[in-house]
Amino acid sequence: MKKTLLTLLAAALALVAAAQPQLRKDNIEEVLKAMTLQEKATLLVGGARAAMVNGVTSGVDWNVPGAAGNTRPIERLGIPGTVLADGPAGLRIQPTRQGTSDTFYCTGFPVGTLLASSWDLSLVEDVTRAMGNEVLEYGVDVLLAPGMNIHRNPLCGRNFEYFSEDPLLSGKMAAAYVKGIQSNGVGTSIKHYALNNQETNRNENDAIVSQRALREIYLKNFEIAVKEAEPWTVMSSYNKLNGEYTQQKEGLLTTVLRDEWGYKGIVMTDWGNKAGTVKSAKAGNDLMEPGNQNEIDRIIAGVQDGTISQEELDRNVRNMLNYIVRTPRFNGYKFSNKPDLKAHAAVARKAAGEAIVLLRNQNGALPLKGNEKVALYGISAIDFVAGGTGSGDVNKAYVVNMEDAMTGAGFTLDKGLADYYKAYVDYDKAQTALAGTTFSWFSRRKLAEIPIPANAIANEARANDVAVVVLGRNAGEGADRKQIDDFELTGVERELLRDVSTAFRAAGKKVIVVLNVGGVIETASWKNMVDAIVLPWSPGQEGANAVADVLTGKVNPSGKLPMTFPVNFMDHPSSANFPYNYSQGGGNMGGFSWGPRQPQKDVDYTNYEEGIWVGYRHFATRGVEVSYPFGFGLSYTSFAYSKPVVKAEKDGFTATVTVTNNGAVAGKEVVELYVSAPAGGLEKPACELKAFAKTRDLKPGESQTLTMKVSAYELASFNEAASAWEAAAGNYTVSFGASVADIRCTAPFKLAKAQSWQVHNTLAPEVK
Ligand code: BGC
């Protein structure tokens, strides 16, 4: 009797075990079968988000405090929760925790725009390998990065997170970024897919874009990153595209991303709950973030009433399970909470130095000797802008400012001036603290540049050897920049530059400007007043040291612009359809009135009337004068290009060019390969970037031959009428440039036979 009972019990247990398989890499189908509808819906929705208090979450076990979100565990089946945290200039988690004196700071690396300015894929991989190590060692599974929307307009508030106005450069940078992070066995989330090109009303804005511009400009970079680097996750954007939310657009999330590009990972929403949860899930958006109970309920109801099929549900759950078995959480990785922050700070400094762009250097004004007496102007010299605000802001242990960096490099700073700025910045910070508004998720620096009387400047010109003026801007999530007092200089900044230039030039002394900015600013009206302009963007916690390295010549700058610096804001065709004059507001918009209203241009919808004529495609083709062209950047040495050779291959061509350092100091050169297509067929830009390469550090007199490959597919343009990519037969010109406006040599390439690649006709704008 006893024996029979035991046998029965064992059989019952076996049954339960069969119904409760524990997740392994090789039993995903079995686990899927064992899941209840409730469990499946739960897995598709992130953990409930606690109330956000000034960007700090509280009241929920996030596993890793300060992480942006998670996926929910299903313990019965051995499915762990996983942790997702921002990105992209480093890992964003809370630096301190209750009950311990340990700290959890992360490295503030250079922002995406500075990484892109390096034009150096291995440098980007070095940076993100270090960054990914922090993700792993702090117990996070996915870094919500890189941000990779195209710089459609200079004023997008998040351009600093993004790479470039050019899809090839952006795509290659993103691929390198993803590879570096994922080499640690943690995931990335390329974002925001797609068309999140403005922050104003980003939650509701409808981007109305032609299929050609979509395919060639706004999706091409995602296509490159997906195909080359296989990110674990993709984040759909908040906005609409051609009438539908991107997170609910099947053509975008399934037809293009998965069917055409072969994407195998998961898609998650950007952080917000939209009513159409079921539509999102159906469209191929696997995970709702940050997630709430409503969304679980909606999915369950959707399955029950047949709005979403069992197969569609299982497809998403399967994607989730495939994601989970890759994570360190699932694999039981024992994270240390002790990444090597010192080593990573060194990586950040080196990368920033190599990526800084030298825009102007009249009569070899730079490098300085390193022991000069310096009059250092600008509040950003003290209140250095290491990165942007919002989710892309890293909680770093420190930020080196220009004052410390310059002193550390051996310069002697004008003490009166330094004390004056410091007192002003400290006073302002104290006032802000008193007002109780020390930090808000979306807040930007309110501090305005302070006037310095001209007679004081005249004294400083007498007492010092050189003037360094730091112009700062900080931008961030939730609001776009403005044309006035942001793209353009403020009145006080103009006066400062004018007075410093007048006084120092009269004394025969140099004026150097450092642009510590998050996005493009106006330079044409004032650049002739100064001798040198150094552009470090927002270069991370060690960035000021990197600037000092460039000023002293310890590092020879080799960065180049990943976008155009126009003469006027309105020279960008996209400016005609961009919300450039809304006053800054918090949240997801910029200062217009809520409530019922007529659909408002550039707020509720934005017409991408410029089509493919974004950035240099417009300026170079139409001969519009710019302040600094795409791809531009100076060096302390000079380079000669020779022996351009283009060899036809079975697929496309291989190009080689020899670069010789014919100057006096060692340096690196970026070579940009542009292609001009044969006439006839689709209207094309005068030239398009199709490849690039960077030399190693070449000593004076040394040469290196660079090799670049371009496939026929990469030559193709999108023909909307045929829904096909088409590479026309005929004679192409391959140009090797130091910038788009400085072509050094060319070689011909002949595509013998036209080629085309049919794709789905799926993303057309709604006819309204
Ligand atoms: C941002 C994302 C970010 C997410 C989580 C959103 O507001 O748009 O880029 O990853 O928040 O913090």
Side-chain angles (χ1 to χ4, degrees):
M1 179 69 182
K2 207 171 164 197
K3 208 172 157 204
T4 330
L5 267 181
L6 279 179
T7 321
L8 274 175
L9 191 64
L13 280 177
L15 263 180
V16 173
Q20 301 197 156
Q22 299 297 291
L23 182 65
R24 297 189 313 267
K25 285 196 167 87
D26 61 357
N27 74 342
I28 285 173
E29 290 306 315
E30 193 190 348
V31 169
L32 183 63
K33 235 184 243 145
M35 290 174 85
T36 63
L37 174 55
Q38 170 77 38
E39 286 168 342
K40 288 179 181 175
T42 302
L43 198 62
L44 300 186
V45 177
R49 188 171 211 175
M52 284 259 295
V53 183
N54 285 340
V56 179
T57 51
S58 61
V60 153
D61 174 18
W62 289 91
N63 297 331
V64 177
N70 60 8
T71 65
R72 301 182 191 233
I74 298 174
E75 278 151 19
R76 183 179 82 86
L77 300 170
I79 302 173
T82 64
V83 180
L84 322 167
D86 286 303
L91 177 66
R92 176 181 170 80
I93 56 173
Q94 237 168 257
T96 53
R97 292 179 194 168
Q98 271 173 5
T100 171
S101 57
D102 288 354
T103 55
F104 304 83
Y105 287 106
C106 299
T107 306
F109 290 96
V111 297
T113 301
L114 183 58
L115 292 181
S117 302
S118 73
W119 294 66
D120 185 339
L121 300 176
S122 58
L123 173 142
V124 176
E125 267 195 64
D126 287 347
V127 167
T128 54
R129 205 173 300 119
M131 196 189 289
N133 173 263
E134 295 184 17
V135 177
L136 181 71
E137 291 305 337
Y138 278 131
V140 171
D141 298 288
V142 174
L143 183 74
L144 301 170
M148 55 180 298
N149 294 95
I150 291 290
H151 290 187
R152 168 179 179 251
N153 187 273
L155 296 191
C156 171
R158 292 182 84 174
N159 273 354
F160 69 95
E161 295 186 54
Y162 307 149
F163 297 117
S164 171
E165 69 184 22
D166 179 80
L168 178 95
L169 183 58
S170 167
K172 294 280 179 189
M173 284 291 147
Y177 186 114
V178 168
K179 285 182 196 165
I181 299 284
Q182 293 192 173
S183 68
N184 291 279
V186 296
T188 52
S189 194
I190 59 174
K191 68 189 188 184
H192 309 87
Y193 185 64
L195 282 298
N196 187 174
N197 300 108
Q198 66 181 61
E199 288 298 285
T200 306
N201 199 23
R202 64 175 173 162
N203 249 307
E204 299 300 324
N205 177 260
D206 186 6
I208 302 172
V209 197
S210 74
Q211 289 197 68
R212 180 169 180 194
L214 274 177
R215 294 280 187 168
E216 290 186 17
I217 308 289
Y218 298 104
L219 301 186
K220 182 50 95 181
N221 52 344
F222 284 96
E223 177 182 353
I224 294 170
V226 164
K227 288 182 175 171
E228 290 192 7
E230 302 183 15
W232 289 14
T233 87
V234 168
M235 188 188 295
S236 54
S237 56
Y238 286 125
N239 54 281
K240 294 175 190 159
L241 161 61
N242 290 340
E244 246 177 344
Y245 290 113
T246 56
Q247 58 176 259
Q248 300 175 0
K249 206 169 180 64
E250 190 179 352
L252 188 70
L253 303 190
T254 297
T255 317
V256 169
L257 180 64
R258 295 180 191 276
D259 301 347
E260 292 183 6
W261 300 346
Y263 180 62
K264 299 272 187 293
I266 59 165
V267 176
M268 70 178 81
T269 61
D270 198 347
W271 265 230
N273 166 22
K274 294 204 190 289
T277 309
V278 175
K279 197 172 178 211
S280 295
K282 246 180 116 62
N285 202 119
D286 306 292
L287 176 64
M288 312 299 149
E289 284 293 340
N292 64 24
Q293 186 61 40
N294 282 343
E295 291 166 304
I296 298 181
D297 296 343
R298 285 183 203 138
I299 294 176
I300 293 175
V303 176
Q304 284 166 347
D305 69 17
T307 323
I308 177 166
S309 71
Q310 191 64 52
E311 289 70 46
E312 287 164 331
L313 178 79
D314 284 354
R315 172 199 66 186
N316 295 6
V317 175
R318 189 178 291 115
N319 288 340
M320 285 300 297
L321 293 173
N322 274 312
Y323 149 70
I324 287 163
V325 297
R326 304 171 90 171
T327 59
R329 264 288 173 310
F330 176 80
N331 292 310
Y333 183 75
K334 301 266 176 294
F335 52 94
S336 64
N337 277 332
K338 297 258 172 304
D340 188 346
L341 295 180
K342 210 164 159 222
H344 297 172
V347 173
R349 175 176 181 163
K350 180 164 181 289
E354 302 247 331
I356 285 173
V357 187
L358 180 62
L359 288 178
R360 181 176 170 88
N361 196 17
Q362 293 303 103
N363 306 317
L366 292 177
L368 301 171
K369 287 200 291 289
N371 58 3
E372 288 91 340
K373 282 196 255 168
V374 177
L376 184 59
Y377 294 95
I379 52 171
S380 303
I382 309 285
D383 192 24
F384 193 71
V385 185
T389 58
S391 59
D393 191 8
V394 178
N395 294 314
K396 43 216 171 278
Y398 63 89
V399 173
V400 177
N401 68 14
M402 284 296 295
E403 196 185 48
D404 298 336
M406 297 289 282
T407 313
F411 295 105
T412 305
L413 299 186
D414 185 292
K415 183 142 182 343
L417 201 52
D419 289 347
Y420 182 68
Y421 275 113
K422 191 158 178 333
Y424 176 66
V425 171
D426 286 350
Y427 174 77
D428 186 86
K429 283 194 173 150
Q431 290 297 303
T432 316
L434 271 180
T437 50
T438 37
F439 174 78
S440 137
W441 174 258
F442 294 109
S443 73
R444 299 178 182 190
R445 182 172 70 186
K446 300 279 184 303
L447 204 53
E449 197 55 72
I450 185 172
I452 310 276
N455 57 351
I457 295 178
N459 287 334
E460 284 141 15
R462 272 191 290 277
N464 295 282
D465 304 317
V466 57
V468 174
V469 183
V470 185
L471 294 180
R473 293 279 182 278
N474 87 337
E477 185 173 353
D480 291 309
R481 297 170 53 216
K482 287 183 290 178
Q483 179 186 0
I484 309 296
D485 290 350
D486 193 342
F487 176 78
E488 280 155 19
L489 298 190
T490 65
V492 175
E493 288 170 335
R494 274 184 198 288
E495 278 164 22
L496 180 68
L497 280 182
R498 183 198 60 202
D499 294 346
V500 169
S501 172
T502 309
F504 279 76
R505 285 192 164 173
K509 294 170 182 171
K510 301 172 201 168
V511 180
I512 317 292
V513 169
V514 174
L515 293 182
N516 179 207
V517 295
V520 173
I521 67 166
E522 186 276 322
T523 50
S525 70
W526 56 266
K527 63 185 177 187
N528 291 333
M529 290 171 15
V530 306
D531 301 285
I533 305 176
V534 176
L535 173 63
W537 300 109
S538 306
Q541 66 182 50
E542 286 283 341
N545 279 331
V547 174
D549 290 342
V550 165
L551 294 181
T552 59
K554 192 170 156 195
V555 169
N556 183 358
S558 58
K560 294 197 175 182
L561 290 179
M563 82 296 282
T564 310
F565 271 53
V567 173
N568 298 301
F569 170 69
M570 276 300 174
D571 294 344
H572 268 282
S574 63
S575 296
N577 291 285
F578 191 88
Y580 55 87
N581 267 340
Y582 291 106
S583 58
Q584 282 180 8
N588 292 313
M589 42 65 70
F592 64 93
S593 64
W594 288 101
R597 59 172 192 275
Q598 288 298 312
Q600 203 173 323
K601 177 180 170 316
D602 305 337
V603 174
D604 297 294
Y605 64 91
T606 302
N607 284 317
Y608 284 45
E609 278 171 338
E610 72 282 0
I612 61 164
W613 305 102
V614 175
Y616 72 85
R617 284 169 167 73
H618 159 74
F619 293 105
T621 308
R622 295 163 176 167
V624 179
E625 195 196 335
V626 299
S627 188
Y628 294 108
F630 176 79
F632 177 82
L634 299 170
S635 165
Y636 295 151
T637 187
S638 55
F639 299 94
Y641 293 28
S642 62
K643 299 191 224 128
V645 177
V646 168
K647 195 168 145 274
E649 304 280 0
K650 217 161 104 227
D651 179 19
F653 62 81
T654 300
T656 54
V657 67
T658 300
V659 177
T660 304
N661 180 348
N662 60 5
V665 293
K668 298 180 180 181
E669 170 73 337
V670 173
V671 174
E672 302 153 34
L673 184 153
Y674 296 93
V675 171
S676 308
L682 296 170
E683 190 192 8
K684 292 230 195 185
C687 66
E688 290 179 295
L689 184 77
K690 294 295 175 190
F692 58 90
K694 193 164 184 172
T695 66
R696 60 175 184 271
D697 202 33
L698 296 177
K699 297 198 179 62
E702 205 183 342
S703 299
Q704 184 182 355
T705 299
L706 298 172
T707 304
M708 290 164 271
K709 283 182 186 301
V710 178
S711 69
Y713 179 63
E714 287 167 326
L715 293 176
S717 299
F718 191 73
N719 182 348
E720 292 182 0
S723 253
W725 287 98
E726 292 178 352
N731 296 317
Y732 289 76
T733 304
V734 177
S735 304
F736 302 88
S739 82
V740 70
D742 183 10
I743 300 303
R744 300 293 182 82
C745 50
T746 64
F749 166 68
K750 183 167 183 180
L751 186 66
K753 238 177 86 217
Q755 292 187 43
S756 74
W757 295 261
Q758 189 75 43
V759 293
H760 300 85
N761 180 9
T762 176
L763 298 172
E766 267 182 358
V767 184
K768 282 197 172 144

